[in-house]
Amino acid sequence: MDFRTEFKPLTVQPQEIEGLSFNMIDSEFGEHAFTEQQYKIVQRVVHASADFELGHSMLFHDDAIKAGINAIRNGEQVYADVQMILSGVSKGRIEKHGGSVNVYISDQDVMEEAKRLNTTRAIISVRKAIKQFDGGIFAIGNAPTALLELIRLIKEGEAKPSLVIGLPVGFVSAPESKEELAKLDVPFITNIGRKGGSTITVAALNAISLLAEKD
């Protein structure tokens, strides 16, 4: 290969680049057992990560997509564990139905309560969220402790989320938290293993909101 050749950037529109990317994903993804709607979410997860292994590791509760679409259309609130999700999500598609995306991790009362109880702000922010709204979508991409706390509250009957998007990334407790989520009979979107993160959670949430627009 001649590396002296002058680089020529693509001169196509963003929509064309996205279309080309999705075509490449489709051609390389291989066989799978996802439904058509599930694959729409997987496709955007791979698009956000360029990671086919992550895409194949995705898990869906049978009612997850329907529950997420209904939650958005009904104007239910969205809880996000970190600010990065708020920054990345397409809020307009949620707000047009009366919902909003809420992040409590840096709230003064959350920080004070976490210090008082000697626990994490992620745990306290989940507790605050379930007091702020009934149901809703919980989008967790960073803190396994937030997901584990939500799971505990669900098991104890204190939290009844419409959908849990649980895709925290990490080595400590992240795989285990997702395994525990997959055992629950609540609508969930998660994956197997250490991979995940805020950008992946944003991709899944945005895919759900797009399906709410189209279907």
Side-chain angles (χ1 to χ4, degrees), residues 106-136:
S106 296
D107 287 5
Q108 187 65 33
D109 59 335
V110 168
M111 292 189 287
E112 291 175 356
E113 184 71 356
K115 184 176 181 180
R116 185 181 73 84
L117 297 177
N118 192 30
T119 190
T120 69
R121 289 185 292 156
I123 288 174
I124 301 302
S125 67
V126 169
R127 294 177 186 174
K128 179 174 180 176
I130 66 166
K131 294 177 182 177
Q132 295 295 315
F133 48 88
D134 185 34

Side-chain angles (χ1 to χ4, degrees), residues 3-23:
F3 291 99
R4 295 170 296 178
T5 303
E6 182 181 356
F7 172 71
K8 295 182 179 180
L10 286 172
T11 56
V12 295
Q13 297 300 311
Q15 298 88 343
E16 293 180 73
I17 294 174
E18 183 177 84
L20 288 169
S21 297
F22 285 172
N23 288 339

Side-chain angles (χ1 to χ4, degrees), residues 144-163:
T145 54
L147 183 55
L148 288 169
E149 178 65 6
L150 178 60
I151 291 167
R152 181 186 72 81
L153 293 167
I154 291 170
K155 288 180 176 179
E156 295 180 1
E158 295 185 43
K160 297 179 180 179
S162 300
L163 171 66

